[in-house]
Amino acid sequence: MSLSAAPGFDALFDPVFLERVNALTLRIAAAQKGGRLADQRTAARGQGSDFADFKPYVAGDDLRAIDWNIYSRLGKAFVRVFEERQDLPVYILLDVSRSMFVEHPPRIGAAMRTVLALAGAALGQHDAVSLMTVSDDLGTAMKNVSGKGGIARVARVLADQAAAGGTALAGALNRLAAMRLRRGLVVVVSDFFDDDGLDGVLGALETLPHRLLLVQMTRAADADPTLLADLDGDLVIEDGEHDGAGVTVTPALIERYRATYRAFADSLDAFARGRGATLIRMDADRDVIDQLTPLLTAGRVLP
């Protein structure tokens, strides 16, 4: 199976799609507390955005924080105190291994649009976004972009990505853990098919001291290969990363594959539940914004 060329900028991010990303960002901002991608509440009390408690007024407190309704009832001055919220970095890892570029159309296009939508949501909430690429190694495409104007920069960098080698997701995650980055949210956008197997990937994810959002790029045929055309007889299976493997398709082989894939999916689900991570399965053949909107606006991206 030959590699497909990466979709160009205009095909990936046409004006209609960019406008829908902007509209999604505005909707999330309207429900920011529930839909936030990453936040951290500090122990410091100040004039932040989230009310925490009252405390008796002492000399030096901000007079603007006095609750005059309480004063009128009790004859004593109390001030409102708030939890200050510190924005956290969002590290997005995009799988650009060759297996993401096979098929027609390749699932990398949907993956890139998913990344841009998530980056737009984070940027709209004043978080700083870094974009990293994963293939044979971990690469840094851009660091600490912030502000709504950063969405254009993210889009341009995404459109420049090309197939970059085999899949070494476990190794890339181990290198990320060793970088000792400031704690934030790590978003992994991948099919999660790794040469070292899923166990290696999950073990590497467990070492990360960050909150996790796992975005698995899927197609219906991943779970049920009979949906593929011409799946019969003697075939050569290729993934763009290894020499083709010859197989004879039989009902027994298909059933073994289905069982293996179910175990793979169940393991990913179990890890997410046990780690307190969020797992989203994105169908590469469906509209990205339609899939993300109910999750982001309802605050279901993070537990």
Side-chain angles (χ1 to χ4, degrees):
M1 183 181 295
S2 61
L3 296 181
S4 298
F9 184 94
D10 292 338
L12 281 168
F13 311 125
D14 61 81
V16 173
F17 179 80
L18 293 175
E19 180 57 35
R20 294 182 70 203
V21 170
N22 184 59
L24 176 59
T25 300
L26 293 175
R27 287 190 62 184
I28 294 168
Q32 185 167 342
K33 185 174 181 180
R36 188 168 187 77
L37 285 179
D39 65 12
Q40 172 177 296
R41 303 187 190 282
T42 69
R45 295 294 174 90
Q47 299 305 312
S49 61
D50 295 323
F51 171 76
D53 204 350
F54 292 101
K55 75 176 186 68
Y57 173 82
V58 296
D61 284 341
D62 189 343
L63 294 175
R64 293 172 298 179
I66 293 176
D67 190 302
W68 295 106
N69 289 325
I70 293 179
Y71 180 79
S72 65
R73 294 198 307 270
L74 302 179
K76 297 180 180 180
F78 288 82
V79 295
R80 294 181 295 271
V81 293
F82 299 80
E83 287 182 325
E84 293 181 340
R85 184 169 59 206
Q86 179 183 10
D87 295 337
L88 291 188
V90 177
Y91 308 105
I92 303 179
L93 278 64
L94 173 64
D95 184 349
V96 294
S97 61
R98 288 190 294 266
S99 64
M100 294 285 286
F101 288 78
V102 298
E103 307 170 302
H104 300 283
R107 67 185 73 190
I108 190 65
M112 289 179 174
R113 285 188 285 272
T114 297
V115 168
L116 189 67
L118 293 172
L123 292 169
Q125 296 170 156
H126 310 292
D127 292 319
V129 172
S130 296
L131 177 63
M132 303 178 183
T133 56
V134 177
S135 56
D136 290 327
D137 203 351
L138 178 67
T140 300
M142 60 193 309
K143 290 183 179 180
N144 297 324
V145 175
S146 59
K148 290 187 66 175
I151 192 69
R153 290 182 58 192
V154 176
R156 286 193 294 271
V157 170
L158 283 170
D160 287 341
Q161 301 305 312
T167 305
L169 183 54
L173 292 168
N174 284 322
R175 283 186 284 280
L176 179 68
M179 292 169 69
R180 301 185 181 279
L181 299 171
R182 188 162 70 94
R183 289 190 180 186
L185 172 68
V186 168
V187 182
V188 183
V189 181
S190 173
D191 55 16
F192 289 90
F193 299 142
D194 188 271
D195 288 351
D196 294 330
L198 184 61
D199 286 345
V201 173
L202 300 183
L205 285 169
E206 190 63 59
T207 68
L208 294 175
H210 308 276
R211 301 170 79 175
L212 295 177
L213 170 58
L214 310 180
V215 183
Q216 184 187 10
M217 303 306 302
T218 69
R219 280 198 157 106
D222 292 347
D224 184 5
T226 62
L227 297 174
L228 296 170
D230 302 322
L231 188 72
D232 188 39
D234 296 329
L235 300 175
V236 175
I237 305 297
E238 298 179 342
D239 64 359
E241 299 179 13
H242 307 90
D243 293 335
V247 299
T248 299
V249 178
T250 65
L253 178 65
I254 290 174
E255 188 50 44
R256 286 199 300 273
Y257 171 87
R258 286 173 173 157
T260 300
Y261 187 83
R262 284 195 299 269
F264 168 86
D266 289 346
S267 293
L268 199 53
D269 285 330
F271 171 83
R273 288 193 302 270
R275 178 61 161 72
T278 298
L279 171 62
I280 299 175
R281 288 191 167 93
M282 296 289 293
D283 186 338
D285 294 319
R286 291 179 53 213
D287 184 272
V288 164
I289 301 297
D290 285 349
Q291 293 178 76
L292 287 176
T293 296
L295 301 173
L296 290 170
T297 57
R300 291 167 53 195
V301 167
L302 289 175

